[in-house]
């Protein structure tokens, strides 16, 4: 760095230019991030401090809470899918959080449950896995809404879903042994994302062609932050359906497959009208 580009050692208060209050209010319409919180003395205002504590509690609850696996299995069955519940080799939530590797490996009981599923319909080649991941809230609040938006699009593209699997203590890679056992060409894993302090209910979607244990993360496609305050289920479903069709056609997922569906995300406050199929 040259001498004339160095930052000053100190910045005086009269050198700091802050956005006008009305500009901060306008920005808050477009983000849930903590911006322009203000201050009370040397600390945060009471309202901002209380909101931070509430969001931190919601994030912890999202990680430590469990999903209602039985209800989700019934819901998938009611949508016409062969369904079952599987679990990873992590015995409980504490072990799941300490041992990510166990969350990627299927338990013997889970493998047996997959083996007991009825044969898939002819031509069905996609397995849909709904996993708890790091946010039970994401799965319970947004999982079925996304599936309801996705299944008609897959059906319209003549893509058959061979099974709907509910997985607990699950990491993304648990979809690899699930897909391999079922003989799926493609695994679509919907899973609760790591919660943040502005969103504890974000759902992620991971697509893996030819799923099998040992698949690298670079061989997956991901769509994240699926939630009412982020990427809405209808828009996400359109993108996932496009990626699914292209993955099956090109026989790949990951860095070699770029999402180019043409589906746009509406601006804040605008009606969500999909611009492409």
């Amino acid at each position: 760095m040259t001498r004339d580009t160095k930052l000053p050692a100190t910045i005086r208060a009269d050198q700091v230019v802050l956005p006008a209050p009305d500009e901060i209010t306008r920005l808050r319409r477009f983000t849930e991030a903590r911006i322009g919180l203000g201050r009370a003395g040397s600390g945060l205002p009471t309202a901002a401090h209380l909101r931070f504590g509430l969001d931190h509690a919601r994030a912890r609850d999202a990680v430590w809470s469990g999903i209602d696996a039985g209800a989700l299995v019934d819901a998938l069955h009611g949508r016409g899918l062969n369904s079952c519940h599987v679990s990873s080799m992590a015995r409980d939530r504490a072990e799941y959080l300490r041992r990510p590797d166990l969350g990627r490996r299927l338990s013997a009981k889970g493998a047996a449950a997959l083996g007991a599923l009825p044969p898939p319909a002819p031509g069905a080649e996609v397995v849909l896995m709904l996993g708890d991941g790091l946010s039970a809230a994401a799965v319970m609040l947004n999982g079925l809404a996304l599936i309801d938006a996705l299944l008609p699009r897959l059906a319209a593209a003549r893509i058959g879903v061979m099974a709907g699997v509910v997985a607990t203590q699950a990491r993304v890679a648990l979809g690899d042994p699930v897909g391999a056992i079922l003989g799926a060409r493609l695994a679509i894993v919907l899973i609760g994302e790591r919660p943040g302090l502005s969103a504890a209910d974000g759902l992620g979607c991971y697509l893996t062609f030819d799923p099998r244990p040992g698949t690298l993360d670079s061989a997956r496609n991901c769509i994240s932050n699926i939630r009412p305050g982020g990427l809405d289920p209808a828009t996400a479903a359109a993108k996932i359906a496009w990626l699914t069709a292209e993955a099956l056609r090109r026989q790949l997922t990951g860095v070699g497959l770029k999402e180019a569906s043409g589906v746009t995300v509406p601006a804040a406050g605008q009606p969500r009208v999909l611009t492409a199929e």
Side-chain angles (χ1 to χ4, degrees):
M1 182 179 291
T2 61
R3 180 179 180 83
D4 57 352
T5 59
K6 288 183 179 179
L7 293 174
T10 59
I11 299 177
R12 301 191 311 273
D14 60 357
Q15 294 177 305
V16 178
V17 179
L18 297 176
D22 57 332
E23 292 178 345
I24 294 177
T25 300
R26 182 175 58 84
L27 286 174
R28 284 177 177 156
R29 294 173 48 208
F30 301 99
T31 179
E32 295 177 354
R34 287 175 166 76
I35 59 172
L37 298 180
R39 66 179 184 177
S42 60
L44 289 172
T46 300
H49 179 75
L50 292 175
R51 282 195 299 271
F52 181 91
L54 176 61
D55 288 340
H56 185 261
R58 285 173 173 163
R60 288 179 59 89
D61 285 347
V63 170
W64 284 98
S65 299
I67 61 174
D68 189 338
L72 291 174
V73 168
D74 290 343
L76 294 180
H77 183 73
R79 287 159 172 78
L81 300 178
N82 294 333
S83 307
C84 70
H85 169 223
V86 304
S87 62
S88 73
M89 293 186 68
R91 292 168 296 183
D92 53 36
R93 201 64 179 165
E95 185 172 60
Y96 168 80
L97 295 174
R98 290 196 309 267
R99 294 284 305 274
D101 59 309
L102 295 181
R104 303 183 184 106
R105 295 156 60 186
L106 187 65
S107 67
K109 187 175 179 180
L114 293 174
L117 284 173
E125 51 192 357
V126 173
V127 61
L128 184 63
M129 189 184 97
L130 187 59
D132 53 2
L134 290 168
S135 175
V139 176
M140 299 306 296
L141 292 174
N142 304 311
L144 293 177
L146 177 57
I147 289 172
D148 286 340
L150 177 60
L151 289 179
R153 288 186 170 272
L154 295 180
R158 298 185 178 180
I159 297 172
V161 179
M162 61 196 325
V165 178
V166 177
T168 49
Q169 316 301 1
R171 301 281 176 174
V172 171
L174 190 66
D176 297 338
V178 168
I181 289 173
L182 293 176
R185 291 185 68 209
L186 181 79
I188 301 176
V189 175
L190 309 178
I191 194 165
E193 296 179 316
R194 185 186 305 275
L197 289 175
S198 60
D201 60 346
L203 194 71
C205 174
Y206 293 81
L207 297 93
T208 307
F209 183 80
D210 190 22
R212 60 184 63 191
T215 298
L216 299 177
D217 287 340
S218 58
R220 312 186 200 280
N221 286 88
C222 173
I223 296 176
S224 64
N225 195 33
I226 303 170
R227 49 187 290 270
L231 187 64
D232 67 286
T235 306
K239 292 176 177 289
I240 295 167
W242 185 92
L243 281 170
T244 299
E246 287 300 300
L248 294 172
R249 183 177 71 85
R250 303 186 198 182
Q251 301 184 41
L252 59 84
T253 47
V255 295
L257 177 61
K258 306 301 182 184
E259 195 271 305
S261 63
V263 176
T264 58
V265 180
Q270 297 299 315
R272 294 189 177 272
V273 179
L274 304 186
T275 59
E277 293 298 324

